[in-house]
Amino acid sequence: MENGKKKKLNTNSNSYTIIYSVIIVVVVAFLLALVFQAFKPMQEANIALDKKKQILYSLNIGELDDEAANNKYKDIIIADNVIDKAGKILQKGSKGGENAGFKQNSADFKAGRLALYVCKVDGETKYVIPVYGMGLWGGISGYIAINADKETVYGAYFTHESETAGLGAEIKDSKEWQNQFRGKKLLNKEHSAIALSVLKKVEDPSTQVDAVTGATLTCNGVTNMLHSCLAAYMNFLTAK
């Protein structure tokens, strides 16, 4: 204090600018963290719902609203098991399961924990297997539904992180293309390897699907994804 007067804060000083900026950053960071935590349960619920819809799409069940999709998933998923490459159950799932195989991701797959959904559709047993791979511009993934014989495709669904619209993106956007997988065989005639593939020139219609025109690299990625992921389930697929 000088001459009985308070010293005014110098708002033009560098120290004031720095302190003010730090306070603003801290406050904004706190508010963002608060908002993130508040919306986290809703975000997780939306992610889980999208996953359920993808699984249902692979079972040829689509165009459901959110409530109907949740209810349908609970109705037809008998168990979301986790198995190993030998086909042994590591963690038994439950009806409408969301806590065993449902929680597995690509990292778990690489670690040998394989999600396997056991389903009942119109009274018939179906199995759904998740697949993970790489497209031209980013990750691709999906689900392959198979019949009780463990060798015939019942349905398929694919999605991607970032593919060219109208080309590679067709693996997600074209239901007509995905429908080509229905009835295809997973294995070669000797049942010794995965044969399901996407090719520009189909030579064996029993195991091969026409590639998307102009999206060769993405379709190659789908083939590689199918071969590498489904091969991990060979012991399950060939066990009778």
Side-chain angles (χ1 to χ4, degrees):
M1 185 179 292
E2 201 174 298
N3 296 327
K5 295 182 180 180
K6 291 183 179 179
K7 187 176 181 181
K8 291 183 178 180
L9 183 63
N10 183 6
T11 58
N12 293 318
S13 67
N14 290 334
S15 59
Y16 174 86
T17 301
I18 293 172
I19 293 172
Y20 181 81
S21 298
V22 169
I23 291 174
I24 291 297
V25 169
V26 170
V27 170
V28 170
F30 174 78
L31 291 175
L32 288 175
L34 195 63
V35 170
F36 174 78
Q37 288 300 322
F39 283 97
K40 187 177 180 181
M42 185 183 299
Q43 291 172 339
E44 291 177 344
N46 287 335
I47 291 171
L49 177 60
D50 182 61
K51 188 171 184 176
K52 291 175 184 178
K53 286 184 175 181
Q54 290 184 31
I55 293 170
L56 291 174
Y57 268 114
S58 75
L59 291 163
N60 307 318
I61 303 170
E63 308 306 325
L64 299 178
D65 61 32
D66 293 354
E67 183 178 0
N70 263 318
N71 291 336
K72 195 67 175 177
Y73 180 86
K74 292 177 182 177
D75 181 51
I76 70 170
I77 302 299
I78 304 304
D80 59 324
N81 294 333
V82 179
I83 66 173
D84 61 15
K85 290 186 177 181
K88 178 183 177 182
I89 295 179
L90 300 177
Q91 184 178 355
K92 193 168 179 58
S94 59
K95 186 171 176 59
E98 297 183 44
N99 295 307
F102 191 80
K103 288 188 173 181
Q104 305 303 293
N105 54 35
S106 58
D108 295 302
F109 170 82
K110 291 176 182 177
R113 291 178 58 84
L114 315 176
L116 177 68
Y117 298 87
V118 184
C119 319
K120 277 287 186 188
V121 179
D122 297 329
E124 297 182 352
T125 298
K126 310 292 179 187
Y127 300 101
V128 175
I129 295 173
V131 290
Y132 314 92
M134 285 296 297
L136 176 60
W137 301 111
I140 54 178
S141 60
Y143 295 91
I144 301 296
I146 59 177
N147 290 324
D149 63 7
K150 300 181 183 179
E151 59 180 271
T152 309
V153 177
Y154 179 68
Y157 178 82
F158 302 103
T159 187
H160 58 82
E161 293 177 9
S162 179
E163 293 297 322
T164 308
L167 296 176
E170 286 290 289
I171 67 168
K172 174 185 177 181
D173 299 333
S174 175
K175 194 64 181 170
E176 182 180 354
W177 184 78
Q178 293 178 8
N179 287 344
Q180 290 187 66
F181 285 84
R182 296 184 190 179
K184 302 296 183 184
K185 297 296 182 181
L186 292 177
L187 308 172
N188 60 12
K189 293 179 180 179
E190 296 75 28
H191 285 198
S192 60
I194 300 300
L196 185 62
S197 304
V198 180
L199 298 174
K200 288 177 67 176
K201 185 178 180 181
V202 172
E203 297 178 351
D204 181 3
S206 68
T207 62
Q208 298 170 356
V209 172
D210 281 319
V212 176
T213 303
T216 302
L217 293 179
T218 298
C219 290
N220 288 345
V222 172
T223 293
N224 293 336
M225 173 176 71
L226 294 173
H227 285 203
S228 63
C229 290
L230 294 177
Y233 291 79
M234 277 297 292
N235 284 312
F236 166 76
L237 295 172
T238 55
K240 299 299 180 182

